[in-house]
Amino acid sequence: MAAAAPPPAPTPATTSLSETATHRHPVFARIRLAAPSDVPHIHKMTYQMAVSKRLTHLFATTESSLTSTLFYPDNKPFHSFSVFILEVSSNPFTDTHFNNDPFYKPVTKTVHLDLPINDPEKETFRNQHGNDVFVARFVLFFPNYSTFLVFYPRT
């Protein structure tokens, strides 16, 4: 009996937009350091992560505990816990109070999409600092030192 022919090779994925594609949906994005006023959004997103990982039975974080651990008076970004916030808007950012942060100047970019973003939960993450600004993500990081990775020269 003859062996079956191998399946055809997969069609390569399209990696670029056609030249006739139009970009009609700009999204304005800003990355900035978090402020204490962002704690409710950080708490909601952390809880959503616990739900997605099926770990709500372990979730004990409160807005108060986040505020006291992330934003204590002498906490300086990049020396201890630091939190970045990604905000998105359908309009350019007009507020400038984040531009005066001595530790990090916000980064803004514009992304052009072919289709609009329709997030049913967006109102939950509306930012109080802007009319049409929504918190999309956060990242928390902290310095860590590993004694296992320290290089000791041999003598």
Side-chain angles (χ1 to χ4, degrees):
M1 180 182 271
T11 306
T14 304
T15 57
S16 63
L17 295 172
S18 70
E19 292 181 25
T20 60
T22 57
H23 303 289
R24 293 177 292 192
H25 302 281
V27 174
F28 300 90
R30 173 171 61 189
I31 298 173
R32 62 172 177 81
L33 280 173
S37 60
D38 295 309
V39 166
H41 295 115
I42 295 169
H43 184 259
K44 288 175 204 165
M45 285 187 266
T46 305
Y47 183 75
Q48 285 181 337
M49 184 174 61
V51 169
S52 72
K53 303 286 185 191
R54 297 186 177 145
L55 296 173
T56 54
H57 62 288
L58 299 175
F59 188 82
T61 302
T62 64
E63 289 183 23
S64 177
S65 67
L66 284 170
T67 300
S68 66
T69 56
L70 297 177
F71 299 102
Y72 56 89
D74 56 342
N75 179 21
K76 291 183 176 57
F78 310 108
H79 293 139
S80 182
F81 300 106
S82 299
V83 181
F84 278 125
I85 295 290
L86 168 63
E87 295 174 310
V88 295
S89 177
S90 58
N91 298 308
F93 294 98
T94 57
D95 59 331
T96 59
H97 60 277
F98 293 114
N99 294 347
N100 299 325
D101 192 314
F103 297 104
Y104 184 80
K105 185 176 179 352
V107 175
T108 58
K109 298 285 182 189
T110 304
V111 180
H112 297 278
L113 304 176
D114 290 332
L115 298 172
I117 296 174
N118 186 14
D119 183 356
E121 290 188 322
K122 80 177 189 176
E123 289 302 319
T124 304
F125 296 99
R126 181 180 291 275
N127 194 330
Q128 67 185 20
H129 300 293
N131 188 19
D132 188 31
V133 178
F134 302 92
V135 174
R137 294 278 190 260
F138 80 94
V139 61
L140 182 145
F141 62 95
F142 53 92
N144 191 7
Y145 182 86
S146 174
T147 57
F148 289 97
L149 300 178
V150 175
F151 174 74
Y152 292 103
R154 296 179 189 230
T155 56

